[in-house]
Amino acid sequence: MTNPYLAEWTTEFNLPPFADLKDEDVKPAVEAALSDGRAAIKAIADNPEAPTFANTIEALEKADATLSKVLGAFYGMAGADTNDTRDALMREFSPMLSAYSSEITANAALFQRIETLWQERENLDLTDEQQRVLMLTRRSFVRSGAKLEGADKDRMAEIKSRLATLGTQFSQNLLADEREWFMELSEDDLEGLPQFVVDAARSAGEEKGAKGPVVTLSRSLITPFLQFSPRRDLREKAFRAWAARGENGNANDNREIAREILELREERARLLGYENFAAYKLETEMAKTPEHVRDLLMRVWAPAKEAAERDAAILSKMMAEDGVNGDLAPWDWRYYSGKRRKAEHDLDEAELKPYLQLDRMIEAAFTCANRLFGLEFEPLDVTTYHPDARAWNVTRNGKHMAVFIGDYFARGSKRSGAWCTAMRSQQKLEGDIRPIVLNVCNFAKPSKGEAALLSYDDARTLFHEFGHALHQMLSDVTYDSISGTSVARDFVELPSQLYEHWLEVPEVLEEFATHAVTGAPMPRDMLERLLAAQTYDQGFATVEYVSSALVDLEFHDGPAPKDPMKAQAEILAKIGMPKAITMRHATPHFAHIFSGDGYSSGYYSYMWSEVMDADAFEAFEETSPFDPVMAKRLEDNILSKGGSEDAEALYTAFRGRMPGVEALLKGRGLVAAE
Ligand SMILES: [Zn+2]
């Protein structure tokens, strides 16, 4: 029987036949796909005909069709629903895949063909998109070491393979530390916690096989616990466990892994002729240089720190009034900040929560996409990889645009955080291929028969990931390699962060924020308080984030630190990190920059994108949030374009100019709006 991973998928929309995909089939499928890929690459490199765009670049685009198909389905599932077998497979695949891609970029005959095309590019009569794909292909070969020879070349392959292994190890250690720890709560310990936190703690207790409710290190449980529990001792214990992920001196310790990763990255950059890893990494970004990044971060740091220090003084006073001796500590901030928010904005998360139902928020995200881009969403009755994951057929004017899968609830088998991934990307080279797009979140699962309720942050996460999904679903390019979210890292968060703004449009909340029990819409004054509260505590949030981004940048801009923990402490001391705030992601659990290369020297990019999203949404505010002309400009110049043009050119085409930092500072309430 044919391996179901490799067979032609005759399902509706050629979805992976999830029910037939067995873990034991994955490895043989990957091996077969790799051997197909190798044969295709060899045929391109050995082709006796002179290189053409079609027989070289387009052939390369097609070479990994089987591999993409198998890995798209497998990694899409494994990220959201892993087990020991899948963990082991991922550990085994990462060096295999890294070796395979090194083999391709180290193929001298192949690179020679690309180089020839590059030299002749002016005479090849290429479309703009083809020119761009040629430039990107050649650049990625050069950056992978295609021009290296001899010992340097071997060393580069070794470094890449070792980095891939270390990255996987880093995530698995982190997940293991997150899974292992929980804190049992007695009935007395539940005092002061709103019902939704109690429910989440009980359901987590059941999942852990504990006798009663527990707090786990899942962000959707620990964050509200830190916010609501009046028990300072329990908050401290939970916070310390949260902050110590990856740093417990057990088998999951990530500190030595982080050190080795930084050292290897520097060596890699130097082999390629760059001064350091940041210089290498930022070359392909919209920011271009470490100086531009540092400049942006420091312009935001100063007003953020001032705001956080003003807030810390107020919270310290509240704590003293509570009769607590000592300094405001990181495990106190969320608790007193929540109380202050209630006092100043009278916004009670617990009161708010029944109005934010998961299903209504999904509907809200869909409806905004319908009003802006004409997309329609029809539930699909298909078996996915997990009973909690739901699928929709996405159409426009009757034309199929994408399959969208939403997998929203937390579970032990899912890695933490929220993300968007495509099991298949849009492209037109091999027919009109439409994407399969996944949004995965970690919202607390409700008890049986209850409606799933979100915090406002959860709802924003839902809109954020859906913005990434739109970037995939509206993609309209020819080549897979530049499809959808295949753009510069500091540009990729623009569509997602921009989409969050539609959640803040009052008419959207008016329609979709309805009470789970009574069905009544959110009272007008609550809605106004909610929106006014959005700039609340932004000093804290910005300090948490910018400190992480600066540590990431300094780690990579210069020689690799011998002792990253010491270097981290020095960087924080230098910028004057407020005592009661910690980095959003400290080194031993900074998965963004250590689980892979994705955000290394690139964590700043969320803020870079925020500069743009604040500025871009202003374009809608100048007319109307659902202005069809502006929506079309957004789709035509950004959402449909993938990486087919330079990010700066795309943004300028949409907005007519580049943005400054002012709209962001205003949006975060860090400077007064005029
Ligand atoms: Zn994102």
Side-chain angles (χ1 to χ4, degrees):
M1 204 188 93
T2 320
N3 185 318
Y5 270 96
L6 298 169
E8 195 188 334
W9 295 341
T10 52
T11 45
E12 196 179 13
F13 307 120
N14 307 107
L15 279 171
F18 293 108
D20 301 337
L21 300 180
K22 302 284 180 279
D23 288 346
E24 63 263 28
D25 292 326
V26 183
K27 193 178 168 194
V30 168
E31 284 167 344
L34 284 173
S35 107
D36 278 8
R38 287 193 167 96
I41 299 294
K42 187 171 177 341
I44 301 167
D46 296 352
N47 190 341
E49 287 168 33
T52 64
F53 188 82
N55 75 18
T56 304
I57 303 295
E58 288 190 347
L60 261 177
E61 289 274 329
K62 293 177 187 168
D64 287 333
T66 313
L67 191 62
S68 306
K69 172 177 153 174
V70 174
L71 296 181
F74 174 67
Y75 279 93
M77 285 195 288
D81 190 27
T82 196
N83 55 38
D84 289 347
T85 311
R86 290 177 181 178
D87 276 354
L89 285 168
M90 285 189 280
R91 269 196 303 273
E92 202 178 338
F93 291 162
S94 66
M96 279 164 67
L97 295 170
S98 142
Y100 174 67
S101 81
S102 299
E103 229 176 272
I104 297 175
T105 48
N107 186 319
L110 179 58
F111 180 63
Q112 193 45 56
R113 295 178 74 88
I114 297 167
E115 192 63 19
T116 303
L117 291 172
W118 176 248
Q119 300 306 332
E120 292 170 0
R121 64 191 179 280
E122 300 301 337
N123 310 318
L124 296 177
D125 200 20
L126 301 177
T127 65
D128 290 349
E129 194 181 329
Q130 289 171 333
Q131 294 244 22
R132 174 89 178 156
V133 172
L134 173 58
M135 184 280 283
L136 292 171
T137 306
R138 177 183 175 274
R139 190 172 74 181
S140 85
F141 271 71
V142 172
R143 288 169 59 83
S144 305
K147 290 185 157 177
L148 295 177
E149 285 170 359
D152 285 352
K153 188 171 171 172
D154 297 342
R155 180 62 187 150
M156 179 59 74
E158 246 172 63
I159 291 174
K160 281 203 273 190
S161 156
R162 178 72 184 147
L163 280 172
T165 305
L166 289 171
T168 305
Q169 191 69 53
F170 190 96
S171 346
Q172 291 186 348
N173 284 346
L174 182 54
L175 186 56
D177 255 11
E178 285 175 358
R179 262 197 297 228
E180 277 165 25
W181 190 90
F182 61 90
M183 176 171 77
E184 299 201 44
L185 298 175
S186 71
E187 290 301 316
D188 286 352
D189 298 338
L190 299 174
E191 204 194 310
L193 299 180
Q195 196 54 42
F196 79 88
V197 184
V198 174
D199 291 345
R202 287 197 199 285
S203 121
E206 277 165 34
E207 198 187 312
K208 294 285 178 198
K211 288 189 292 291
V214 303
V215 175
T216 66
L217 296 181
S218 161
R219 203 175 261 274
S220 65
L221 183 49
I222 188 157
T223 312
F225 181 80
L226 290 170
Q227 185 183 338
F228 289 111
S229 175
R231 287 279 301 278
R232 195 175 192 226
D233 58 332
L234 298 181
R235 291 199 314 262
E236 177 174 356
K237 197 174 162 198
F239 185 88
R240 285 190 187 280
W242 172 243
R245 288 168 301 145
E247 197 186 343
N248 286 310
N250 55 13
N252 309 326
D253 201 297
N254 271 333
R255 286 173 287 186
E256 174 54 23
I257 294 178
R259 190 202 58 76
E260 191 183 346
I261 289 175
L262 292 172
E263 185 181 276
L264 291 173
R265 281 180 183 159
E266 191 200 356
E267 190 184 347
R268 175 178 174 180
R270 287 186 181 278
L271 275 173
L272 292 169
Y274 296 84
E275 195 186 337
N276 56 52
F277 188 77
Y280 159 72
K281 197 63 200 297
L282 292 167
E283 181 193 28
T284 59
E285 299 301 304
M286 197 173 169
K288 304 278 191 290
T289 66
E291 289 67 35
H292 286 155
V293 174
R294 190 173 296 106
D295 181 52
L296 170 88
L297 292 174
M298 290 315 290
R299 270 193 288 163
V300 178
W301 174 254
K305 191 179 139 189
E306 275 170 35
E309 278 164 354
R310 279 194 302 274
D311 291 335
I314 296 168
L315 301 183
S316 296
K317 194 158 160 271
M318 288 172 69
M319 195 168 95
E321 282 163 9
D322 241 7
V324 180
N325 293 322
D327 293 336
L328 187 76
W331 45 90
D332 298 318
W333 192 292
R334 287 177 178 82
Y335 178 69
Y336 286 102
S337 168
K339 284 183 119 177
R340 178 186 168 202
R341 179 157 80 150
K342 183 148 170 51
E344 287 182 7
H345 296 276
D346 191 23
L347 192 70
D348 184 332
E349 282 271 347
E351 242 174 72
L352 178 67
K353 201 147 182 163
Y355 289 99
L356 299 173
Q357 301 179 61
L358 171 64
D359 285 355
R360 296 290 284 158
M361 289 300 116
I362 295 172
E363 241 185 292
F366 287 177
T367 301
C368 291
N370 178 267
R371 292 183 64 181
L372 290 163
F373 311 113
L375 298 177
E376 294 181 80
F377 298 80
E378 188 68 35
L380 265 179
D381 186 19
V382 292
T383 305
T384 65
Y385 57 89
H386 191 279
D388 283 348
R390 295 182 261 174
W392 286 267
N393 176 22
V394 186
T395 59
R396 177 157 65 186
N397 303 324
K399 181 188 181 294
H400 171 70
M401 296 290 286
V403 170
F404 175 70
I405 296 178
D407 180 359
Y408 294 106
F409 296 131
R411 55 179 170 262
S413 63
K414 200 185 259 188
R415 65 181 164 87
S416 58
W419 64 93
C420 174
T421 184
M423 286 192 169
R424 181 172 67 220
S425 303
Q426 180 274 332
Q427 55 134 310
K428 291 185 282 198
L429 185 59
E430 291 165 285
D432 186 10
I433 310 286
R434 298 308 309 175
I436 303 168
V437 186
L438 239 80
N439 273 181
V440 186
C441 300
N442 268 287
F443 303 146
K445 192 174 179 173
S447 324
K448 269 212 177 69
E450 307 268 307
L453 301 177
L454 305 182
S455 67
Y456 191 72
D457 274 356
D458 290 340
R460 199 173 19 215
T461 299
L462 188 151
F463 268 68
H464 178 101
E465 298 309 333
F466 195 73
H468 284 307
L470 286 170
H471 203 182
Q472 301 277 16
M473 298 191 290
L474 292 171
S475 178
D476 185 22
V477 298
T478 303
Y479 301 101
D480 192 318
S481 64
I482 52 163
S483 175
T485 53
S486 303
V487 297
R489 186 63 64 184
D490 55 4
F491 192 65
V492 75
E493 298 299 331
L494 169 62
S496 53
Q497 294 184 172
L498 177 59
Y499 207 65
E500 293 176 30
H501 288 273
W502 275 278
L503 178 61
E504 293 182 5
V505 171
E507 64 187 273
V508 173
L509 283 174
E510 272 162 12
E511 185 175 354
F512 293 99
T514 54
H515 197 279
V517 178
T518 66
M522 183 182 284
R524 183 79 212 184
D525 72 308
M526 182 188 275
L527 197 151
E528 278 163 9
R529 278 181 282 128
L530 170 65
L531 294 179
Q534 289 319 301
T535 55
Y536 179 72
D537 220 11
Q538 284 301 304
F540 170 83
T542 312
V543 162
E544 248 197 330
Y545 168 85
V546 174
S547 57
S548 301
L550 277 166
V551 167
D552 166 40
L553 180 71
E554 302 305 346
F555 271 4
H556 295 103
D557 184 24
K562 299 262 172 302
D563 180 350
M565 297 306 288
K566 188 163 160 263
Q568 172 185 297
E570 285 164 4
I571 296 161
L572 296 179
K574 193 173 153 209
I575 58 173
M577 183 74 173
K579 274 201 199 61
I581 305 179
T582 57
M583 291 165 72
R584 186 170 168 85
H585 305 287
T587 300
H589 51 260
F590 205 162
H592 288 81
I593 70 166
F594 291 117
S595 281
D597 235 3
Y599 281 88
S600 54
S601 191
Y603 192 61
Y604 77 89
S605 52
Y606 291 94
M607 183 139 291
W608 190 273
S609 298
E610 196 179 322
V611 167
M612 283 185 286
D613 78 64
D615 185 69
F617 195 67
E618 261 184 8
F620 284 90
E621 283 178 318
E622 284 160 11
T623 52
S624 122
F626 294 101
D627 178 13
V629 176
M630 207 46 85
K632 188 163 180 350
R633 283 179 72 148
L634 180 64
E635 179 177 347
D636 290 352
N637 294 300
I638 294 176
L639 296 176
S640 67
K641 288 281 189 175
S644 61
E645 286 174 45
D646 181 71
E648 197 172 318
L650 293 179
Y651 191 83
T652 311
F654 162 66
R655 193 64 165 115
R657 56 165 172 75
M658 286 290 283
V661 77
E662 293 71 26
L664 169 134
L665 293 178
K666 224 189 291 173
R668 288 197 166 216
L670 298 174
V671 291
E674 285 121 51

